[in-house]
């Protein structure tokens, strides 16, 4: 086996004590979240802080947050594939996995928010396309199906390698053999695979953009103060990419450390993606400034109480923490090259993920506590909502850990292909320089 195969296959063959410790902690937290949900299901939504008119709270915050970080993978991976960025080859598998698991956990938040989850079937049985909810259901379903396909297709050559070289448990041999779909690695198969991936990469970009645009329209199509705004579509898409890249950084740094992938997840990837994260931080600041400047300048009677509650009132802690974590600290860390290291980007990403969750919270809760057509209310989340939120985060991490315990963390064949391309480029450059020297020698009569 090559060195990259030995490195990537090693965690699949052996299971250390640290894995079981991590697995147990994540499983326990997930189980606690499931217990809280069963309690909520049996006693009703009265055990949460939700009430009229605050019918959305932390669960919708979680929904928007998870759908946002799902933009980490498939969208970023697709853009980098289309632009033929050679350095993206070692990060695509991790990024695409983040997308799939974030979509799964994000979709669950809608069911959790419903007091009667069986009524979710009504969207399919009686749904009408006049409702933004059905637009959202359609877009997320298409995005999830596309993302699973986009994750699976590039895994085929690596699954075939596992089928041929893995010497572990029999059921895993059967699993790899089944999922490899008879891959033989000949020219025709590679040609068709790369063509399918290229088509899917182009198609998935507008799908990903549409998903978070439509999520924003769930808010924007209502008449609630500070929701009925045309800026929410691009604002949500920018925020989604912003938090998605931050989550990708955390996943990359974790995998790099635990699976000893330092040779392939290098400072180069962290620097390039760090620049992208810096740009998204500036864009997010611009959209946030635009939203609040126009709100205060317009000074509409229904919107001012909401804006004041965010900036000066009961939600000011969340608002100013959000500004600090999303706008100020990432800019200070990432503006310098010395900040775009593994450690620097990880620190900035932790701030950004916390800040983006708070941003979703300040969009959802303040507007509902000060609605346009009914009395004001107070929203205080309970231990049930906090437990389910912790359980959801743990479930996301657990799915990620289990997936990469079974499947390769890098797209081995793509990384090897990238190395060959780089070597050919260097050879061509060397030949070109030698030709230039030879031509220069002839011209000077040497």
């Amino acid at each position: 086996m090559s060195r990259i195969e030995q490195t990537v296959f090693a965690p699949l063959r052996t299971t250390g004590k640290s894995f079981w410790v991590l697995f147990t902690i994540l499983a326990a937290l997930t189980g606690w979240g499931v217990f809280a949900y069963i309690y909520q299901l049996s006693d009703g939504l009265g055990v949460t802080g939700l009430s009229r008119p605050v019918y959305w709270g932390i669960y919708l915050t979680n929904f928007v947050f998870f759908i946002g970080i799902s933009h980490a993978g498939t969208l970023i991976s697709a853009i980098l594939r289309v632009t033929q960025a050679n350095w993206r080859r070692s990060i695509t598998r991790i990024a695409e996995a983040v997308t799939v698991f974030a979509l799964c956990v994000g979709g669950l938040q809608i069911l959790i928010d419903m007091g009667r989850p069986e009524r979710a079937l009504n969207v399919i049985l009686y749904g009408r396309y006049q409702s933004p909810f059905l637009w959202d259901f359609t877009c997320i379903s298409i995005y999830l199906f596309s993302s699973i396909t986009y994750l699976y297709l590039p895994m085929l050559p690596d699954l075939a390698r596992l089928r041929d070289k893995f010497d572990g448990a029999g059921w895993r041999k059967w699993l790899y053999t089944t999922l490899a779909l008879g891959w033989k690695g000949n020219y025709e198969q590679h040609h068709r695979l790369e063509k399918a991936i290229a088509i899917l990469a182009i198609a998935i970009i507008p799908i990903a953009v549409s998903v978070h645009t439509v999520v924003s329209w769930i808010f924007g199509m209502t008449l609630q103060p500070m929701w009925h705004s045309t800026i929410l579509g691009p604002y949500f898409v920018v925020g989604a990419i912003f938090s998605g890249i931050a989550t990708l950084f955390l996943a990359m740094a974790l995998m790099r450390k635990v699976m000893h992938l330092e040779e392939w997840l290098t400072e180069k990837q962290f620097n390039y993606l760090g620049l992208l994260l810096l740009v998204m931080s500036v864009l997010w600041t611009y959209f946030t400034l635009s939203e609040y400047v126009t709100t205060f300048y317009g000074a509409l009677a229904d919107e001012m109480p909401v804006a004041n509650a965010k900036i000066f009132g009961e939600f000011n802690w969340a608002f100013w923490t959000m500004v600090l974590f999303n706008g100020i600290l990432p800019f200070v860390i990432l503006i310098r090259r010395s900040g775009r290291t593994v450690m620097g980007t990880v620190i900035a990403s932790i701030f950004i993920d916390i800040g983006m969750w708070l941003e979703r919270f300040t969009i959802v809760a303040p507007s509902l506590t000060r609605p346009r057509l009914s009395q004001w209310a107070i929203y205080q989340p309970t231990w049930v909502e906090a437990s389910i939120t912790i359980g959801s985060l743990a479930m996301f991490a657990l799915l990620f850990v289990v997936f990469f315990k079974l499947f390769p963390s890098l797209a081995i064949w793509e990384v090897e292909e990238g190395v060959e391309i780089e070597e050919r480029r260097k050879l061509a450059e060397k030949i070109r320089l030698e030709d230039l020297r030879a031509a220069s020698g002839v011209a000077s009569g040497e």
Side-chain angles (χ1 to χ4, degrees):
M1 285 194 289
S2 62
R3 192 170 70 255
I4 185 172
E5 287 178 332
Q6 290 176 356
T7 305
V8 174
F9 290 170
L12 309 184
R13 286 197 171 94
T14 58
T15 304
K17 185 179 177 181
S18 57
F19 171 82
W20 289 114
V21 171
L22 178 63
F23 180 87
T24 304
I25 293 172
L26 293 175
L29 291 174
T30 304
W32 177 249
V34 172
F35 167 76
Y37 177 65
I38 293 172
Y39 176 67
Q40 173 188 302
L41 200 59
S42 63
D43 285 35
L45 287 174
V47 301
T48 69
L50 300 174
S51 63
R52 293 179 182 175
V54 188
Y55 43 84
W56 290 347
I58 282 184
Y59 299 147
L60 255 291
T61 301
N62 294 341
F63 166 72
V64 179
F65 177 74
F66 277 113
I67 298 300
I69 65 174
S70 74
H71 282 62
T74 306
L75 179 61
I76 300 299
S77 171
I79 292 172
L80 294 178
R81 279 185 196 276
V82 170
T83 56
Q84 297 184 348
N86 204 33
W87 56 271
R88 51 100 184 145
R89 294 173 183 272
S90 55
I91 67 173
T92 52
R93 179 72 48 77
I94 299 171
E96 289 154 13
V98 168
T99 291
V100 171
F101 301 135
L103 283 172
C104 292
V105 178
L108 278 178
Q109 303 304 312
I110 297 298
L111 293 177
I112 293 170
D113 188 64
M114 299 175 69
R116 298 279 303 276
E118 76 278 5
R119 290 186 177 178
L121 289 174
N122 290 347
V123 175
I124 301 172
L125 298 175
Y126 310 110
R128 300 171 61 197
Y129 268 102
Q130 290 94 330
S131 168
F133 287 103
L134 196 56
W135 306 347
D136 207 28
F137 175 80
T138 304
C139 287
I140 291 177
S141 300
I142 293 173
Y143 189 41
L144 178 59
F145 176 76
S146 305
S147 298
I148 292 173
T149 308
Y150 196 63
L151 171 65
Y152 176 61
L153 282 181
M155 286 178 64
L156 282 172
D158 295 335
L159 289 168
R161 293 189 190 213
L162 282 169
R163 175 198 61 198
D164 300 334
K165 300 179 179 180
F166 186 76
D167 53 3
W171 68 271
R172 289 179 68 169
K173 192 85 172 173
W174 171 85
L175 177 68
Y176 300 138
T177 303
T178 305
L179 292 178
L181 298 179
W183 178 267
K184 296 177 181 175
N186 55 43
Y187 172 79
E188 184 65 23
Q189 286 184 332
H190 269 289
H191 176 70
R192 290 184 179 184
L193 177 66
E194 292 187 6
K195 192 173 182 180
I197 292 173
I199 293 171
L200 199 54
I202 294 171
I204 213 162
I205 294 174
I207 295 173
V209 173
S210 74
V211 167
H212 225 61
T213 303
V214 173
V215 168
S216 77
W217 287 350
I218 289 178
F219 299 90
M221 296 297 178
T222 71
L223 296 178
Q224 295 289 358
M226 294 195 71
W227 284 3
H228 192 58
S229 167
T230 56
I231 202 173
L232 281 190
Y235 191 26
F236 269 48
V237 172
V238 166
I241 297 173
F242 189 33
S243 59
I245 297 172
T247 305
L248 177 58
F249 268 122
L250 297 180
M252 284 169 56
L254 178 68
M255 301 286 285
R256 183 177 189 265
K257 179 72 176 176
V258 174
M259 297 195 169
H260 309 292
L261 302 177
E262 291 85 353
E263 186 176 347
W264 297 280
L265 295 176
T266 64
E267 293 282 348
K268 184 178 183 180
Q269 280 93 355
F270 284 86
N271 179 36
Y272 286 0
L273 279 176
L275 284 170
L276 187 56
L277 196 63
L278 176 64
V279 171
M280 299 314 297
S281 175
V282 174
L283 279 176
W284 178 89
T285 305
Y286 164 73
F287 275 104
T288 302
L289 183 66
S290 299
E291 184 188 16
Y292 286 91
V293 166
T294 53
T295 298
F296 275 96
Y297 194 84
L300 295 177
D302 293 334
E303 294 193 339
M304 286 310 295
V306 178
N308 283 326
K310 292 184 185 182
I311 297 177
F312 307 111
E314 63 188 275
F315 296 102
N316 65 354
W317 61 272
F319 179 84
W320 291 112
T321 306
M322 170 193 83
V323 171
L324 179 67
F325 282 14
N326 287 347
I328 299 173
L329 291 178
F331 186 83
V332 170
I333 294 172
L334 300 172
I335 190 66
R336 295 176 302 168
R337 174 64 184 89
S338 59
R340 296 191 298 275
T341 58
V342 177
M343 181 60 71
T345 53
V346 166
I347 293 171
S349 298
I350 292 171
F351 286 135
I352 290 167
D353 270 344
I354 296 172
M356 284 309 298
W357 190 92
L358 290 173
E359 190 234 35
R360 306 328 192 179
F361 180 73
T362 57
I363 289 174
V364 174
S367 292
L368 291 177
T369 58
R370 288 158 175 77
R372 193 184 300 270
L373 298 177
S374 63
Q375 292 183 336
W376 292 5
I378 296 173
Y379 175 59
Q380 291 182 327
T382 66
W383 70 269
V384 175
E385 291 161 283
S387 299
I388 291 176
T389 298
I390 293 170
S392 299
L393 292 169
M395 180 187 292
F396 171 71
L398 184 62
L399 290 170
F400 194 80
V401 167
V402 171
F403 179 81
F404 284 114
K405 184 62 191 164
L406 294 175
F407 300 106
S409 52
L410 299 181
I412 298 172
W413 68 279
E414 285 196 274
V415 173
E416 289 177 342
E417 189 178 75
V419 172
E420 290 179 10
I421 291 171
E422 187 63 21
E423 288 176 351
R424 284 202 296 269
R425 188 192 66 77
K426 288 179 179 176
L427 181 61
E429 182 70 15
K430 183 179 178 183
I431 293 172
R432 190 181 69 82
L433 289 173
E434 288 176 352
D435 288 345
L436 283 174
R437 290 194 189 100
S440 175
V442 171
S444 61
E446 294 178 358

